[in-house]
Amino acid sequence: MRMSRYFLPILKETPADAQIVSHRLMLRSGMIRQASAGIYSWLPLGYRVLQRIERIVHEEQIRVGHNPMLMPTLQSADLWRESGRYDDYGEEMLRITDRHGRDMLYGPTNEELITDIVRSSVQSYRDLPLTLYHVQWKFRDEVRPRFGVMRGREFLMKDGYNFDVDRESAIHAYNRHMVSYLRTYERMGLKAIPMRAETGPIGGDHSHEFLVLAETGESAVFFDSRILDLSLGGRDVDTDSSEDCAAVFEAWTAPYARTDETHDPAKFEAAVPEDRRMNSRAIEVGQIFYFGTKYSEPMDARVVNEDGDRVFVHMGSHGIGVSRLAGAIIEASHDERGIVWPESVAPFHLGIVNLKQGDGDTDSASERIFARAGAAGLDALYDDRNERAGPKFATMDLIGLPWRITVGPRCLRAGMVELTCRRTGETDELEPDAAIERVRLSCHGP
Ligand code: ATP
Ligand code: MG
């Protein structure tokens, strides 16, 4: 992409109403623009990041055998009356009436709709276990939308639903989701800690939230520092094996880790030696629930089990805050100059800065590098504007691309360009092809 043709409305001033760093940086770098309270347009740069986050979420879901699908944003109130949640959900639900006077709502979550789909086509234990999910916009009329995309009213969520013949099978699904969520966050460069949670309006008796430590987080958390040493580190867990998934669950839930909602100070002190007791702020980036037959009973979703009995299916639901993650990643990865994107979610892998636009040699060298980067499978943003070096560098630093190739007459005379790593600030002089190869290796591996 050429900067001269790219819609990148960078703000010079720091927006006064943005209280946290991710919100400020998303506005300043032209990633988002507020449409109304808690509702945002995703501008081209932000949309790229959102798509890359969503892609990782899909890949990790499909990898463990979950079925992607897409349900609508608007739902009929009838199903929610069946489950009893139409009245229970309260003012967070946006209720709409269509021209025929039918009650509709903008979905805050999808347990009812998915249960309706499954009960009408799944009759036997042989069709289970089954996990369906989608990535779709949700609406919750939050009392205090704030912090940009962190607490929006309209936000993108991955929500998944498992259907199992009994509790044991559903617990496997729960643990498998934990493995898959841990993998998902690790790929985004995040350390997300599973913590015992309350179940809230989703219901059920078994739930964990995933929290990313950040000073600006809305949750207070208390944990054993040992949990920070845990990592799946790309380890292959056999997610079809309930033992393997349970082992990951055991390892990650053994150290004490709770949010303020479930924190028990006496237990914390008894279980964790003083030098390992940590408390901090954190951002919730996902939550998993096992709720048994909470929806299948009122909605009469049953299957015939092996003994020929018609039993209620056991269910769980699982959510990842896709749009919130864009903000959470920035909270976890930025410096005083701007965003520092992990390669896995960066809007572009590489920025190319032409230091002397209009000069025949630097222009043709830059064009060649831009073309080579594309041929190497790299997304590059080429700053071909007639601007001074200072503002060009400042823009690249602000938008946080992992790598920058700087093309200037001095280096070029020796056949070289500069390659700078955004995270470390290290700069090397290299031949253009070697610079591209280094970026390619770093972003795509050998
Ligand atoms: P919170 O406690 O932050 O209000 P929640 O527990 O109500 O969230 P869930 O139903 O667990 O939310 O939704 C799954 C995920 O969706 C959350 O972990 C969070 O990452 C994201 N999410 C929830 N509400 C919002 C929101 N208003 N804006 C952006 N993301 C959200
Ligand atoms: Mg939650």
Side-chain angles (χ1 to χ4, degrees):
M1 180 58 70
R2 285 165 201 278
M3 194 91 99
S4 58
R5 288 183 218 152
Y6 199 49
F7 183 65
L8 188 66
I10 302 272
L11 302 183
K12 297 247 158 40
E13 309 293 316
T14 299
D17 54 336
Q19 298 163 39
I20 63 171
V21 66
S22 59
H23 189 194
R24 280 197 293 273
L25 287 172
M26 288 180 86
L27 290 170
R28 280 190 55 212
S29 63
M31 287 179 65
I32 53 169
R33 194 186 148 84
Q34 185 173 309
S36 58
I39 304 179
Y40 289 85
S41 299
W42 290 75
L43 306 183
L45 191 77
Y47 184 49
R48 273 184 175 259
V49 172
L50 191 65
Q51 284 185 306
R52 291 203 73 194
I53 293 173
E54 186 178 338
R55 170 104 185 254
I56 292 177
V57 169
H58 274 297
E59 285 174 0
E60 292 301 329
Q61 287 299 306
I62 290 166
R63 179 176 170 193
V64 297
H66 299 166
N67 295 256
M69 62 181 293
L70 188 59
M71 288 176 271
T73 53
L74 295 184
Q75 303 179 22
S76 157
D78 295 345
L79 287 174
W80 289 70
R81 291 200 172 99
E82 255 188 78
S83 75
R85 279 208 297 179
Y86 190 64
D87 295 325
D88 292 354
Y89 215 94
E91 294 198 294
E92 267 192 24
M93 185 188 276
L94 181 64
R95 295 156 206 260
I96 304 161
T97 310
D98 74 9
R99 67 198 296 168
H100 303 292
R102 281 186 292 244
D103 292 329
M104 313 277 296
L105 56 99
Y106 194 125
T109 175
N110 283 58
E111 281 79 6
E112 285 77 0
L113 196 52
I114 194 77
T115 305
D116 182 49
I117 291 170
V118 170
R119 73 177 167 187
S120 65
S121 35
V122 170
Q123 317 296 343
S124 159
Y125 73 95
R126 286 197 199 85
D127 301 324
L128 303 181
L130 181 64
T131 297
L132 298 158
Y133 80 94
H134 70 164
V135 177
Q136 176 64 292
W137 293 93
K138 303 290 182 292
F139 194 95
R140 293 182 187 174
D141 206 351
E142 302 270 357
V143 211
R144 279 185 70 201
R146 56 184 184 153
F147 301 156
V149 301
M150 291 284 205
R151 183 161 299 282
R153 293 198 297 162
E154 190 186 46
F155 58 95
L156 192 60
M157 194 208 283
K158 171 262 156 184
D159 44 322
Y161 306 87
N162 67 283
F163 297 85
D164 290 82
V165 70
D166 55 23
R167 181 182 163 92
E168 190 189 340
S169 175
I171 293 293
H172 175 201
Y174 186 87
N175 295 342
R176 184 178 65 239
H177 275 86
M178 182 168 285
V179 175
S180 127
Y181 277 26
L182 290 170
R183 282 174 173 166
T184 303
Y185 301 124
E186 280 190 12
R187 278 185 63 185
M188 297 174 191
L190 291 173
K191 176 142 250 146
I193 306 174
M195 303 198 182
R196 263 264 294 280
E198 304 276 18
T199 51
I202 309 276
D205 62 1
H206 201 49
S207 180
H208 282 84
E209 288 174 343
F210 294 80
L211 288 117
V212 172
L213 302 181
E215 279 162 34
T216 50
E218 289 188 286
S219 313
V221 296
F222 303 83
F223 60 97
D224 181 340
S225 62
R226 267 194 317 163
I227 201 160
L228 297 174
D229 302 330
L230 293 177
S231 151
L232 285 180
R235 181 156 54 90
D236 221 10
V237 178
D238 177 2
T239 50
D240 289 334
S241 149
S242 57
E243 289 79 17
D244 284 21
C245 291
V248 171
F249 174 86
E250 289 301 330
W252 284 79
T253 55
Y256 187 99
R258 306 259 179 111
T259 67
D260 44 1
E261 286 174 0
T262 53
H263 179 52
D264 176 345
K267 203 163 174 197
F268 190 36
E269 280 176 30
V272 187
E274 197 174 350
D275 60 331
R276 294 208 318 248
R277 267 178 238 150
M278 314 278 282
N279 64 75
S280 161
R281 308 290 302 175
I283 302 163
E284 180 195 329
V285 291
Q287 185 164 8
I288 56 179
F289 302 85
Y290 164 66
F291 44 68
T293 58
K294 176 178 155 90
Y295 296 89
S296 56
E297 283 194 43
M299 295 184 69
D300 198 33
R302 296 203 245 187
V303 291
V304 175
N305 70 9
E306 243 172 312
D307 304 324
D309 299 324
R310 288 189 72 228
V311 296
F312 293 115
V313 289
H314 284 245
M315 292 173 58
S317 74
H318 316 273
I320 293 184
V322 174
S323 49
R324 179 180 287 183
L325 273 167
I329 294 168
I330 296 175
E331 290 293 329
S333 186
H334 65 271
D335 62 18
E336 65 294 341
R337 286 175 291 140
I339 304 166
V340 183
W341 288 116
E343 283 169 354
S344 58
V345 299
F348 295 91
H349 301 108
L350 153 82
I352 300 167
V353 171
N354 182 343
L355 284 184
K356 206 169 178 195
Q357 193 67 39
D359 172 86
D361 289 343
T362 49
D363 284 2
S364 61
S366 302
E367 292 286 343
R368 206 167 51 237
I369 290 166
F370 183 43
R372 289 275 168 87
L378 296 170
D379 278 333
L381 181 61
Y382 170 28
D383 193 345
D384 57 345
R385 295 168 307 160
N386 213 342
E387 258 289 3
R388 286 169 302 117
K392 285 192 172 186
F393 289 153
T395 298
M396 287 295 177
D397 284 348
L398 175 65
I399 69 175
L401 309 185
W403 297 95
R404 186 184 81 210
I405 291 181
T406 309
V407 187
R410 187 187 57 78
C411 268
L412 215 50
R413 256 174 254 130
M416 307 291 245
V417 293
E418 280 180 358
L419 177 68
T420 304
C421 172
R422 175 69 179 89
R423 185 171 293 282
T424 63
E426 268 171 57
T427 296
D428 287 319
E429 286 193 11
L430 293 166
E431 287 178 358
D433 285 354
I436 286 172
E437 180 58 8
R438 189 171 315 163
V439 177
R440 194 192 65 77
L441 271 177
S442 178
C443 294
H444 295 324

Short mmCIF file of all heavy atoms in Angstrom, two decimals, residues 288-331:
data_model
loop_
_atom_site.label_atom_id
_atom_site.label_comp_id
_atom_site.label_asym_id
_atom_site.label_seq_id
_atom_site.Cartn_x
_atom_site.Cartn_y
_atom_site.Cartn_z
N ILE A 288 -14.93 -18.41 29.64
CA ILE A 288 -15.54 -19.68 29.27
C ILE A 288 -16.49 -20.12 30.39
O ILE A 288 -16.26 -19.81 31.56
CB ILE A 288 -14.49 -20.77 28.97
CG1 ILE A 288 -13.53 -20.98 30.16
CG2 ILE A 288 -13.69 -20.41 27.72
CD1 ILE A 288 -12.49 -22.08 29.92
N PHE A 289 -17.57 -20.79 29.98
CA PHE A 289 -18.61 -21.21 30.93
C PHE A 289 -19.00 -22.65 30.67
O PHE A 289 -19.10 -23.07 29.51
CB PHE A 289 -19.91 -20.41 30.71
CG PHE A 289 -19.79 -18.93 30.83
CD1 PHE A 289 -19.40 -18.15 29.74
CD2 PHE A 289 -20.11 -18.28 32.02
CE1 PHE A 289 -19.32 -16.77 29.84
CE2 PHE A 289 -20.05 -16.90 32.12
CZ PHE A 289 -19.64 -16.14 31.03
N TYR A 290 -19.26 -23.39 31.72
CA TYR A 290 -20.00 -24.64 31.62
C TYR A 290 -21.29 -24.41 32.38
O TYR A 290 -21.24 -24.03 33.55
CB TYR A 290 -19.21 -25.81 32.23
CG TYR A 290 -20.08 -27.01 32.49
CD1 TYR A 290 -20.63 -27.70 31.42
CD2 TYR A 290 -20.40 -27.41 33.78
CE1 TYR A 290 -21.47 -28.79 31.62
CE2 TYR A 290 -21.24 -28.50 34.00
CZ TYR A 290 -21.78 -29.18 32.92
OH TYR A 290 -22.62 -30.23 33.14
N PHE A 291 -22.43 -24.58 31.72
CA PHE A 291 -23.68 -24.34 32.46
C PHE A 291 -24.65 -25.51 32.36
O PHE A 291 -25.83 -25.36 32.66
CB PHE A 291 -24.33 -23.03 32.07
CG PHE A 291 -24.36 -22.75 30.60
CD1 PHE A 291 -25.14 -23.49 29.75
CD2 PHE A 291 -23.59 -21.71 30.08
CE1 PHE A 291 -25.15 -23.22 28.39
CE2 PHE A 291 -23.61 -21.43 28.72
CZ PHE A 291 -24.39 -22.19 27.88
N GLY A 292 -24.17 -26.68 31.95
CA GLY A 292 -25.01 -27.87 32.00
C GLY A 292 -26.29 -27.72 31.20
O GLY A 292 -26.25 -27.41 30.00
N THR A 293 -27.43 -27.87 31.87
CA THR A 293 -28.71 -27.91 31.15
C THR A 293 -29.53 -26.62 31.34
O THR A 293 -30.73 -26.61 31.15
CB THR A 293 -29.53 -29.12 31.63
OG1 THR A 293 -29.71 -29.01 33.06
CG2 THR A 293 -28.80 -30.43 31.35
N LYS A 294 -28.85 -25.55 31.72
CA LYS A 294 -29.55 -24.29 31.99
C LYS A 294 -30.43 -23.83 30.81
O LYS A 294 -31.51 -23.29 31.00
CB LYS A 294 -28.55 -23.18 32.33
CG LYS A 294 -29.23 -21.82 32.53
CD LYS A 294 -28.27 -20.73 32.92
CE LYS A 294 -28.78 -19.36 32.52
NZ LYS A 294 -29.57 -18.63 33.45
N TYR A 295 -29.96 -24.00 29.59
CA TYR A 295 -30.76 -23.60 28.42
C TYR A 295 -31.50 -24.78 27.80
O TYR A 295 -32.60 -24.63 27.26
CB TYR A 295 -29.89 -22.92 27.36
CG TYR A 295 -29.30 -21.63 27.88
CD1 TYR A 295 -28.07 -21.63 28.55
CD2 TYR A 295 -29.99 -20.43 27.78
CE1 TYR A 295 -27.56 -20.47 29.10
CE2 TYR A 295 -29.48 -19.26 28.31
CZ TYR A 295 -28.26 -19.29 28.97
OH TYR A 295 -27.76 -18.14 29.50
N SER A 296 -30.88 -25.97 27.85
CA SER A 296 -31.52 -27.11 27.18
C SER A 296 -32.81 -27.51 27.89
O SER A 296 -33.75 -27.96 27.24
CB SER A 296 -30.55 -28.28 27.07
OG SER A 296 -30.05 -28.65 28.34
N GLU A 297 -32.90 -27.31 29.21
CA GLU A 297 -34.14 -27.69 29.90
C GLU A 297 -35.31 -26.79 29.52
O GLU A 297 -36.31 -27.28 29.00
CB GLU A 297 -33.94 -27.73 31.42
CG GLU A 297 -33.20 -28.99 31.84
CD GLU A 297 -33.28 -29.26 33.34
OE1 GLU A 297 -34.38 -29.10 33.91
OE2 GLU A 297 -32.24 -29.64 33.91
N PRO A 298 -35.20 -25.46 29.73
CA PRO A 298 -36.35 -24.63 29.35
C PRO A 298 -36.65 -24.68 27.85
O PRO A 298 -37.79 -24.52 27.44
CB PRO A 298 -35.96 -23.21 29.80
CG PRO A 298 -34.48 -23.24 29.99
CD PRO A 298 -34.14 -24.65 30.37
N MET A 299 -35.62 -24.91 27.03
CA MET A 299 -35.84 -24.91 25.59
C MET A 299 -36.03 -26.32 25.03
O MET A 299 -36.12 -26.52 23.83
CB MET A 299 -34.69 -24.17 24.89
CG MET A 299 -34.65 -22.68 25.27
SD MET A 299 -33.38 -21.76 24.38
CE MET A 299 -34.04 -21.77 22.71
N ASP A 300 -36.04 -27.30 25.92
CA ASP A 300 -36.28 -28.69 25.55
C ASP A 300 -35.35 -29.19 24.43
O ASP A 300 -35.82 -29.69 23.40
CB ASP A 300 -37.75 -28.90 25.15
CG ASP A 300 -38.12 -30.38 25.19
OD1 ASP A 300 -37.56 -31.12 26.04
OD2 ASP A 300 -38.94 -30.81 24.34
N ALA A 301 -34.06 -29.01 24.63
CA ALA A 301 -33.08 -29.52 23.66
C ALA A 301 -32.57 -30.86 24.20
O ALA A 301 -31.84 -30.90 25.18
CB ALA A 301 -31.94 -28.54 23.49
N ARG A 302 -32.99 -31.94 23.55
CA ARG A 302 -32.65 -33.27 24.06
C ARG A 302 -32.08 -34.15 22.96
O ARG A 302 -32.36 -33.94 21.78
CB ARG A 302 -33.89 -33.95 24.61
CG ARG A 302 -34.45 -33.21 25.81
CD ARG A 302 -35.26 -34.14 26.64
NE ARG A 302 -36.66 -33.76 26.65
CZ ARG A 302 -37.55 -34.36 27.42
NH1 ARG A 302 -37.20 -35.37 28.19
NH2 ARG A 302 -38.80 -33.95 27.40
N VAL A 303 -31.33 -35.16 23.39
CA VAL A 303 -30.88 -36.20 22.46
C VAL A 303 -31.15 -37.55 23.10
O VAL A 303 -31.29 -37.66 24.32
CB VAL A 303 -29.37 -36.10 22.14
CG1 VAL A 303 -29.05 -34.88 21.31
CG2 VAL A 303 -28.53 -36.16 23.40
N VAL A 304 -31.21 -38.54 22.25
CA VAL A 304 -31.35 -39.91 22.74
C VAL A 304 -29.94 -40.41 23.06
O VAL A 304 -29.05 -40.33 22.23
CB VAL A 304 -32.00 -40.80 21.66
CG1 VAL A 304 -32.02 -42.26 22.11
CG2 VAL A 304 -33.40 -40.30 21.35
N ASN A 305 -29.75 -40.87 24.30
CA ASN A 305 -28.41 -41.34 24.68
C ASN A 305 -28.23 -42.82 24.34
O ASN A 305 -29.14 -43.46 23.79
CB ASN A 305 -28.11 -41.04 26.15
CG ASN A 305 -28.90 -41.88 27.11
OD1 ASN A 305 -29.58 -42.84 26.70
ND2 ASN A 305 -28.83 -41.54 28.38
N GLU A 306 -27.10 -43.37 24.70
CA GLU A 306 -26.77 -44.75 24.34
C GLU A 306 -27.78 -45.77 24.88
O GLU A 306 -27.98 -46.83 24.30
CB GLU A 306 -25.37 -45.09 24.87
CG GLU A 306 -24.39 -45.41 23.76
CD GLU A 306 -22.96 -45.55 24.28
OE1 GLU A 306 -22.53 -44.65 25.05
OE2 GLU A 306 -22.31 -46.53 23.94
N ASP A 307 -28.41 -45.41 26.02
CA ASP A 307 -29.39 -46.33 26.62
C ASP A 307 -30.79 -46.12 26.07
O ASP A 307 -31.76 -46.72 26.55
CB ASP A 307 -29.43 -46.13 28.14
CG ASP A 307 -28.06 -46.30 28.77
OD1 ASP A 307 -27.30 -47.17 28.28
OD2 ASP A 307 -27.74 -45.56 29.73
N GLY A 308 -30.91 -45.22 25.09
CA GLY A 308 -32.23 -44.98 24.51
C GLY A 308 -33.07 -43.96 25.27
O GLY A 308 -34.24 -43.75 24.94
N ASP A 309 -32.49 -43.30 26.29
CA ASP A 309 -33.24 -42.28 27.03
C ASP A 309 -33.08 -40.93 26.36
O ASP A 309 -32.02 -40.62 25.84
CB ASP A 309 -32.72 -42.16 28.47
CG ASP A 309 -32.88 -43.47 29.23
OD1 ASP A 309 -33.88 -44.17 28.99
OD2 ASP A 309 -31.96 -43.79 30.03
N ARG A 310 -34.14 -40.10 26.43
CA ARG A 310 -34.04 -38.74 25.88
C ARG A 310 -33.54 -37.81 26.99
O ARG A 310 -34.25 -37.56 27.97
CB ARG A 310 -35.39 -38.26 25.34
CG ARG A 310 -35.76 -38.96 24.03
CD ARG A 310 -36.98 -38.32 23.40
NE ARG A 310 -36.66 -37.02 22.84
CZ ARG A 310 -37.39 -35.91 23.06
NH1 ARG A 310 -38.45 -35.96 23.80
NH2 ARG A 310 -37.03 -34.77 22.50
N VAL A 311 -32.31 -37.35 26.85
CA VAL A 311 -31.70 -36.55 27.93
C VAL A 311 -31.41 -35.13 27.44
O VAL A 311 -31.19 -34.90 26.25
CB VAL A 311 -30.38 -37.19 28.43
CG1 VAL A 311 -30.65 -38.55 29.07
CG2 VAL A 311 -29.36 -37.33 27.30
N PHE A 312 -31.43 -34.19 28.37
CA PHE A 312 -31.10 -32.81 28.02
C PHE A 312 -29.61 -32.71 27.68
O PHE A 312 -28.78 -33.31 28.37
CB PHE A 312 -31.41 -31.88 29.19
CG PHE A 312 -32.87 -31.77 29.48
CD1 PHE A 312 -33.41 -32.23 30.67
CD2 PHE A 312 -33.74 -31.23 28.52
CE1 PHE A 312 -34.78 -32.14 30.93
CE2 PHE A 312 -35.11 -31.13 28.77
CZ PHE A 312 -35.62 -31.59 29.97
N VAL A 313 -29.29 -31.95 26.64
CA VAL A 313 -27.87 -31.81 26.29
C VAL A 313 -27.16 -30.91 27.31
O VAL A 313 -27.78 -30.01 27.90
CB VAL A 313 -27.64 -31.24 24.87
CG1 VAL A 313 -28.03 -32.25 23.81
CG2 VAL A 313 -28.35 -29.93 24.66
N HIS A 314 -25.89 -31.17 27.50
CA HIS A 314 -25.06 -30.34 28.37
C HIS A 314 -24.35 -29.32 27.50
O HIS A 314 -23.83 -29.66 26.44
CB HIS A 314 -24.06 -31.21 29.12
CG HIS A 314 -24.68 -31.95 30.25
ND1 HIS A 314 -24.36 -31.72 31.56
CD2 HIS A 314 -25.65 -32.90 30.25
CE1 HIS A 314 -25.09 -32.50 32.32
NE2 HIS A 314 -25.88 -33.24 31.56
N MET A 315 -24.34 -28.09 27.99
CA MET A 315 -23.80 -27.03 27.15
C MET A 315 -22.79 -26.16 27.90
O MET A 315 -22.76 -26.13 29.13
CB MET A 315 -24.93 -26.10 26.68
CG MET A 315 -25.90 -26.72 25.70
SD MET A 315 -27.29 -25.59 25.39
CE MET A 315 -26.45 -24.12 24.76
N GLY A 316 -22.01 -25.44 27.11
CA GLY A 316 -21.15 -24.40 27.65
C GLY A 316 -21.07 -23.31 26.61
O GLY A 316 -21.41 -23.53 25.44
N SER A 317 -20.66 -22.12 27.02
CA SER A 317 -20.41 -21.09 26.01
C SER A 317 -19.11 -20.39 26.32
O SER A 317 -18.61 -20.45 27.46
CB SER A 317 -21.58 -20.11 25.90
OG SER A 317 -21.60 -19.24 27.00
N HIS A 318 -18.55 -19.75 25.31
CA HIS A 318 -17.15 -19.33 25.36
C HIS A 318 -17.01 -18.07 24.54
O HIS A 318 -17.44 -18.05 23.39
CB HIS A 318 -16.27 -20.44 24.77
CG HIS A 318 -16.67 -21.81 25.25
ND1 HIS A 318 -16.19 -22.35 26.41
CD2 HIS A 318 -17.58 -22.70 24.77
CE1 HIS A 318 -16.76 -23.54 26.61
NE2 HIS A 318 -17.61 -23.78 25.63
N GLY A 319 -16.43 -17.03 25.12
CA GLY A 319 -16.35 -15.78 24.37
C GLY A 319 -14.96 -15.16 24.38
O GLY A 319 -14.26 -15.21 25.40
N ILE A 320 -14.58 -14.59 23.25
CA ILE A 320 -13.34 -13.81 23.17
C ILE A 320 -13.71 -12.42 22.69
O ILE A 320 -14.46 -12.28 21.71
CB ILE A 320 -12.33 -14.44 22.18
CG1 ILE A 320 -11.81 -15.79 22.72
CG2 ILE A 320 -11.15 -13.50 21.93
CD1 ILE A 320 -10.75 -16.44 21.85
N GLY A 321 -13.21 -11.40 23.34
CA GLY A 321 -13.48 -10.02 22.93
C GLY A 321 -12.54 -9.62 21.80
O GLY A 321 -11.46 -9.11 22.04
N VAL A 322 -12.98 -9.85 20.57
CA VAL A 322 -12.10 -9.63 19.42
C VAL A 322 -11.73 -8.15 19.28
O VAL A 322 -10.55 -7.80 19.16
CB VAL A 322 -12.76 -10.18 18.12
CG1 VAL A 322 -11.94 -9.83 16.90
CG2 VAL A 322 -12.93 -11.69 18.23
N SER A 323 -12.74 -7.26 19.34
CA SER A 323 -12.41 -5.84 19.17
C SER A 323 -11.69 -5.31 20.42
O SER A 323 -10.77 -4.50 20.31
CB SER A 323 -13.65 -5.01 18.86
OG SER A 323 -14.70 -5.29 19.77
N ARG A 324 -12.07 -5.81 21.61
CA ARG A 324 -11.37 -5.37 22.83
C ARG A 324 -9.88 -5.75 22.77
O ARG A 324 -9.03 -5.03 23.29
CB ARG A 324 -12.01 -5.98 24.07
CG ARG A 324 -11.31 -5.58 25.35
CD ARG A 324 -11.93 -6.18 26.59
NE ARG A 324 -13.21 -5.56 26.93
CZ ARG A 324 -13.92 -5.89 28.01
NH1 ARG A 324 -13.50 -6.82 28.83
NH2 ARG A 324 -15.06 -5.27 28.27
N LEU A 325 -9.59 -6.89 22.13
CA LEU A 325 -8.19 -7.34 22.06
C LEU A 325 -7.29 -6.32 21.36
O LEU A 325 -6.13 -6.17 21.72
CB LEU A 325 -8.10 -8.68 21.33
CG LEU A 325 -8.27 -9.91 22.22
CD1 LEU A 325 -8.48 -11.16 21.36
CD2 LEU A 325 -7.06 -10.09 23.14
N ALA A 326 -7.83 -5.62 20.36
CA ALA A 326 -7.00 -4.62 19.67
C ALA A 326 -6.49 -3.61 20.69
O ALA A 326 -5.30 -3.25 20.70
CB ALA A 326 -7.81 -3.93 18.56
N GLY A 327 -7.37 -3.17 21.59
CA GLY A 327 -6.96 -2.24 22.64
C GLY A 327 -6.05 -2.89 23.66
O GLY A 327 -5.05 -2.32 24.08
N ALA A 328 -6.38 -4.13 24.04
CA ALA A 328 -5.58 -4.81 25.08
C ALA A 328 -4.15 -5.04 24.60
O ALA A 328 -3.20 -4.92 25.39
CB ALA A 328 -6.24 -6.14 25.43
N ILE A 329 -3.99 -5.36 23.33
CA ILE A 329 -2.63 -5.59 22.81
C ILE A 329 -1.84 -4.29 22.86
O ILE A 329 -0.66 -4.28 23.21
CB ILE A 329 -2.69 -6.18 21.37
CG1 ILE A 329 -3.31 -7.58 21.41
CG2 ILE A 329 -1.29 -6.22 20.74
CD1 ILE A 329 -3.67 -8.14 20.04
N ILE A 330 -2.50 -3.17 22.55
CA ILE A 330 -1.79 -1.88 22.63
C ILE A 330 -1.43 -1.56 24.08
O ILE A 330 -0.31 -1.11 24.37
CB ILE A 330 -2.64 -0.75 22.02
CG1 ILE A 330 -2.86 -1.00 20.54
CG2 ILE A 330 -1.97 0.61 22.24
CD1 ILE A 330 -3.78 0.00 19.86
N GLU A 331 -2.36 -1.82 25.01
CA GLU A 331 -2.03 -1.57 26.43
C GLU A 331 -0.78 -2.35 26.82
O GLU A 331 0.06 -1.87 27.59
CB GLU A 331 -3.20 -1.98 27.34
CG GLU A 331 -4.43 -1.09 27.24
CD GLU A 331 -4.22 0.33 27.77
OE1 GLU A 331 -3.42 0.51 28.69
OE2 GLU A 331 -4.87 1.25 27.22
#
